[in-house]
Amino acid sequence: MTDSSLLQQARALRDQLETLHATDPAALADPDLTQELDSLRLLLTPPPPALDGDHPEQDLKRSLDQLSYVQAVTQLSFYEYNFDRQEGRSDRYQKELFGFQRLLTPTEFVSRIHPDNQEVMRKLLLHEGDIPAGSTVKHSYRYLHPDKGWRWMEFSGHYLELPNGERVVRGFDRDVTQENKRWQEEQKNLLQELELALQVDELGYALTDLKTGTLERWNSHFLRHCQLQSAMETNLWEWMETHLHPEDREQVRASIDAALAQPGRYMQVLNRLFDADQQLRWIEISGYIQVIDDAPKVFTLSRDLTQQVQQEEERTQLIAQLKREIEQGQRARELSRSGYWSWHIPSGAIQWSPEVYETYQIPHDQPMTFESFQKAVHPSDWPHLEARIQETLETSKGYEIKHRVVTPQGDIRWVEAKGALRLNDEGQPLELYGVVTDVTERHLAQQEREKLLQRLQLAMKTAQFGFAESCLDTGERLIDNAYAQLQELAEPDEIPFEKMMQRVHPDDRPMMERLLLEDLPQLPHGTPLTFVYRFQMKNGTWQWREASTTLTQREGKLWRIGVIRDVTEFMQQQEELRRHERFAALGQLAAEINHDLKQPLSILELRLHQLQDLLAPEQREKGLRSLEAASSALEHAKSIMTRTLEVARAEDEFQNQPLSAILHQVAELFTTTFRHQNIRFECQCPWADHPESEPLVSLNRKEMIQVFQNLFSNSVDAIVEQQEQHGSASGEIRVVFSEQPSTLKVCLFDTGIGISAEVRERMFDQFFTTKGKDGSGLGLSMCRRILQQHQGSLEAFNRVDLDHGAHFCLVLPKAAVPAS
């Protein structure tokens, strides 16, 4: 920098100091400062031509040093801002005075100014008003210092217009907080308020302007209590809407309105606030309102009472619960043999109700002490009971325990004791009280139950049942020896469910997984689920197992328990019975075929006789018509024979095929029966017009034919019975197909006699029949067994849309679609 430029800067600073002195003589009232200013004025007055030996550079440097001294003593901070270029500069005092690390823009600076002063300062700092060049402006305002809070500042600025037309303001700022009378009054009030706040530990305090809703004084406890991150972002009314519980907002507004009507009135409210985790916290806020400079301001103290409120609620709930238990115990003393007791800890006195004396079999007039009570408890149970009592004394938590009592006569009684602790005003244990219930009979019954369980296990072992249980929560699995032998589980690693499923027949695995993993969890606990499956022995042979399983809750964990038995011989017998049943069905079918063949064969025979008489040439045309009729009758007979052979030659293997075709084939065999009994048959199939879209089912064609034959036969018999008993002229059998996501459902509806409650309970049992000596009792039981082997189900109900008639529901899993 050249000497001339330094001189110009020094002279500009001198002019500004003189302007400051002219506008505010008190700013430089110190005599020493006045003398320094005079020296500076004299120093910067244009000197006469320098003589040989003068040193103007040294004189200028000395003047600048003196100017810096003046700034340091008066706490003046120089600044300059160019409004057109939006550029500014300041000295180091500017940053110290306002507490920022960089020069703030005017907009940033205004945001730190108190709302009451922002409008005026915005005009001055942003040149929004009509301020002529050459004007000098002086104004006091409140500024929010990052470390010191609200401070009073004094702005002195000189507005210039440079030769190039740019607008510039140059001036000084200084902290005048200590000189401001209103600030001094506020400090006086604040000191009194802080004196009150310091009497309580961890109290928050704040001074809030109710007109603007902004905080003017606060501490960290207040911000923490109110869940605030920064006081800069705080507005009382917005805070109430975002943090305060909706039910408490009106209460706070009412308290503020009441205090505004009577300034100085004390107010206190208990508020609920949501913290960052959306948990409720209880904050007590107390304070009063004062009017300062015509502005209502509220000083508040805050205290977090969340822990005390929660403890009081827990104590109230515990006391209420114990009161309810005591009241219930009093109403049921004679039935439950329960009594009330209390132990006054300071004196050691124990009080018992008459029921407790009767339970312990001690005379009612005998005074009780803690030592005599200890003697009445079984020696083996006393250490555990003493530990629970000591835990209650230390933690104030209630206890519940079951222990034995030794009567003076030497009898052993079992009791359940519940206790709770009452504290005195100082928070020390005062009284332990509770109830005692004689549970001797219950305990003996439980022991008897355990004996019965042991007997049941023995019976299961004798009947060759295997028992297993597995915890679905922990994976724990327990089996008995019979179960291990039936499933050939010799090694521990063979027990897990996944290992065992590898030995189940591949055709039965989907059925077992669906029943155990999908259907069983949907059933009420305790409801058994029974199914059969094929299990491969280690020698490679397959055996049949029947399993019954259910779910139960035990000690807060979910268990699956079940039994299995070997039904291989029984299944072989069932297969033999099915073969006999098929032979019987073929016999019935043969009779129907014989009946159906009589008519077309008779027609054929008659037409052939006519043909013999019509061989004459003149009767040739008539003879040809007779031959055509005979040929048609013969073709009808052939079709009947073809259907019979298809049924007789049905394959035993499982194949993927449409189910509706099998049903229609069986229905055709019953055509004559339906006609003779005046029964209308209807089949509703959603794929009737597009048979290629029907889902396939993996099934044994011969066995499924047998199922539909049995169902049709039973429906016909039921309709005939309905016709005979009620004089019905006709009947109806209707079959409805429907597709589910993984299954195919077939519902058969008839208008027969219906199913009685007694019959419905036993209709699927083997050898149960309602047809007397004409029935074998194997038809429906065999149908259900066939459906189970197909991983399906068969159920029977009464119709709900009619006052008579039955509804059979058949469900089969759809065949898996091969990957393309």
Side-chain angles (χ1 to χ4, degrees), residues 194-224:
L194 289 178
E195 184 178 356
L196 173 63
L198 293 177
Q199 295 178 2
V200 183
D201 189 23
E202 292 190 357
L203 277 179
Y205 69 87
L207 181 64
T208 307
D209 189 328
L210 293 180
K211 182 179 179 181
T212 62
T214 57
L215 286 177
E216 296 187 355
R217 300 285 187 273
W218 67 88
N219 68 350
S220 59
H221 291 308
F222 181 84
L223 297 181
R224 177 170 55 85

Side-chain angles (χ1 to χ4, degrees), residues 226-418:
C226 297
Q227 302 297 316
L228 298 174
Q229 300 295 328
S230 170
M232 286 289 297
E233 304 173 358
T234 303
N235 181 282
L236 174 63
W237 316 116
E238 295 178 357
W239 170 83
M240 290 174 57
E241 294 296 329
T242 57
H243 291 74
L244 205 59
H245 193 283
E247 298 178 2
D248 296 343
R249 294 170 189 167
E250 293 300 326
Q251 178 187 4
V252 174
R253 290 192 181 96
S255 299
I256 294 176
D257 292 341
L260 284 173
Q262 298 179 4
R265 175 184 174 183
Y266 179 77
M267 64 177 182
Q268 184 176 19
V269 291
L270 186 60
N271 301 316
R272 289 167 292 177
L273 285 79
F274 293 100
D275 60 14
D277 298 327
Q278 295 302 309
Q279 300 295 321
L280 278 180
R281 302 198 66 79
W282 291 86
I283 307 298
E284 181 186 65
I285 297 180
S286 56
Y288 59 91
I289 292 179
Q290 285 186 337
V291 179
I292 302 176
D293 293 341
D294 298 328
K297 300 186 180 183
V298 57
F299 172 78
T300 54
L301 295 178
S302 62
R303 180 171 55 174
D304 192 337
L305 297 181
T306 303
Q307 184 175 3
Q308 293 90 321
V309 172
Q310 291 175 347
Q311 291 177 350
E312 183 63 25
E313 288 179 349
E314 293 176 358
R315 176 178 176 273
T316 302
Q317 292 175 0
L318 179 59
I319 293 176
Q321 180 182 356
L322 289 175
K323 286 182 178 179
R324 289 193 299 269
E325 292 178 354
I326 293 174
E327 292 174 358
Q328 294 171 358
Q330 290 175 348
R331 291 193 299 266
R333 282 181 177 178
E334 294 182 358
L335 297 176
S336 62
R337 303 186 66 179
S338 299
Y340 173 84
W341 60 269
S342 66
W343 171 35
H344 189 263
I345 299 174
S347 64
I350 294 180
Q351 292 183 354
W352 283 359
S353 67
E355 292 77 17
V356 181
Y357 278 102
E358 293 176 3
T359 300
Y360 283 73
Q361 297 184 7
I362 296 176
H364 292 195
D365 57 353
Q366 178 177 334
M368 292 300 300
T369 63
F370 191 81
E371 290 73 16
S372 58
F373 164 69
Q374 178 180 352
K375 292 179 181 179
V377 179
H378 195 284
S380 300
D381 297 344
W382 173 250
H384 186 45
L385 176 59
E386 184 182 26
R388 296 302 304 274
I389 293 176
Q390 186 62 32
E391 180 183 359
T392 300
L393 295 176
E394 295 175 355
T395 64
S396 300
K397 295 182 179 179
Y399 71 87
E400 181 176 351
I401 190 173
K402 182 179 179 182
H403 64 86
R404 289 168 290 181
V405 170
V406 182
T407 67
Q409 295 76 22
D411 298 331
I412 302 295
R413 310 287 300 175
W414 283 88
V415 299
E416 273 187 0
K418 296 181 180 180

Side-chain angles (χ1 to χ4, degrees), residues 474-602:
T474 64
E476 180 183 3
R477 186 173 175 87
L478 304 174
I479 63 174
D480 61 6
N481 293 332
Y483 189 95
Q485 293 175 1
L486 287 172
Q487 303 291 81
E488 286 189 340
L489 304 178
E491 302 296 333
D493 60 351
E494 297 177 346
I495 296 179
F497 179 77
E498 294 76 11
K499 288 281 187 180
M500 294 182 59
M501 286 296 294
Q502 295 177 3
R503 298 173 60 184
V504 175
H505 195 283
D507 294 342
D508 297 338
R509 289 177 194 167
M511 177 266 298
M512 288 187 63
E513 292 176 349
R514 175 170 57 86
L515 292 176
L516 295 178
L517 303 180
E518 298 179 13
D519 296 351
L520 184 61
Q522 304 299 325
L523 297 176
H525 289 183
T527 304
L529 185 65
T530 303
F531 54 92
V532 294
Y533 61 95
R534 286 163 288 183
F535 192 78
Q536 188 175 35
M537 309 305 291
K538 292 187 176 180
N539 60 6
T541 62
W542 292 96
Q543 292 190 4
W544 286 92
R545 298 287 183 262
E546 182 182 64
S548 294
T549 183
T550 187
L551 296 178
T552 184
Q553 198 80 17
R554 190 166 64 224
E555 297 179 355
K557 299 177 181 178
L558 186 62
W559 288 79
R560 182 172 61 209
I561 60 176
V563 294
I564 63 170
R565 66 188 180 102
D566 188 349
V567 293
T568 304
E569 184 177 355
F570 173 76
M571 295 297 293
Q572 293 172 349
Q573 293 175 355
Q574 288 292 306
E575 180 63 27
E576 186 68 24
L577 288 174
R578 281 197 297 273
R579 283 198 295 270
H580 287 293
E581 187 74 14
R582 282 198 295 269
F583 288 136
L586 288 174
Q588 180 181 354
L589 181 62
E592 294 180 356
I593 292 174
N594 182 54
H595 179 275
D596 290 342
L597 285 176
K598 283 182 179 181
Q599 182 178 3
L601 290 178
S602 297

Side-chain angles (χ1 to χ4, degrees), residues 97 109-118 141-153 175-178 180 183-184 186-187 190 207-209 212-218 231-234 297:
L97 184 64
F109 190 87
V110 169
S111 66
R112 293 174 176 244
I113 296 176
H114 195 278
D116 290 349
N117 309 127
Q118 282 187 1
Y141 62 93
R142 280 171 288 182
Y143 172 83
L144 183 60
H145 195 283
D147 301 321
K148 301 177 183 179
W150 291 105
R151 309 291 293 176
W152 281 95
M153 299 293 181
D175 190 336
V176 295
T177 304
Q178 301 293 341
N180 189 283
W183 181 89
Q184 293 174 356
E186 292 174 354
Q187 287 294 100
L190 183 60
L207 181 64
T208 307
D209 189 328
T212 62
T214 57
L215 286 177
E216 296 187 355
R217 300 285 187 273
W218 67 88
M232 286 289 297
E233 304 173 358
T234 303
K297 300 186 180 183

Side-chain angles (χ1 to χ4, degrees), residues 40-80:
L40 181 62
R41 185 184 299 114
L42 180 62
L43 179 65
L44 297 179
T45 301
L51 300 176
D52 294 340
D54 290 347
H55 302 282
E57 294 87 358
Q58 296 179 0
D59 295 338
L60 179 59
K61 183 177 182 303
R62 183 172 60 252
S63 298
L64 292 176
D65 292 340
Q66 292 173 349
L67 178 60
S68 299
Y69 173 75
V70 171
Q71 284 188 267
V73 174
T74 61
Q75 297 184 348
L76 289 174
S77 173
F78 168 76
Y79 69 92
E80 179 184 85

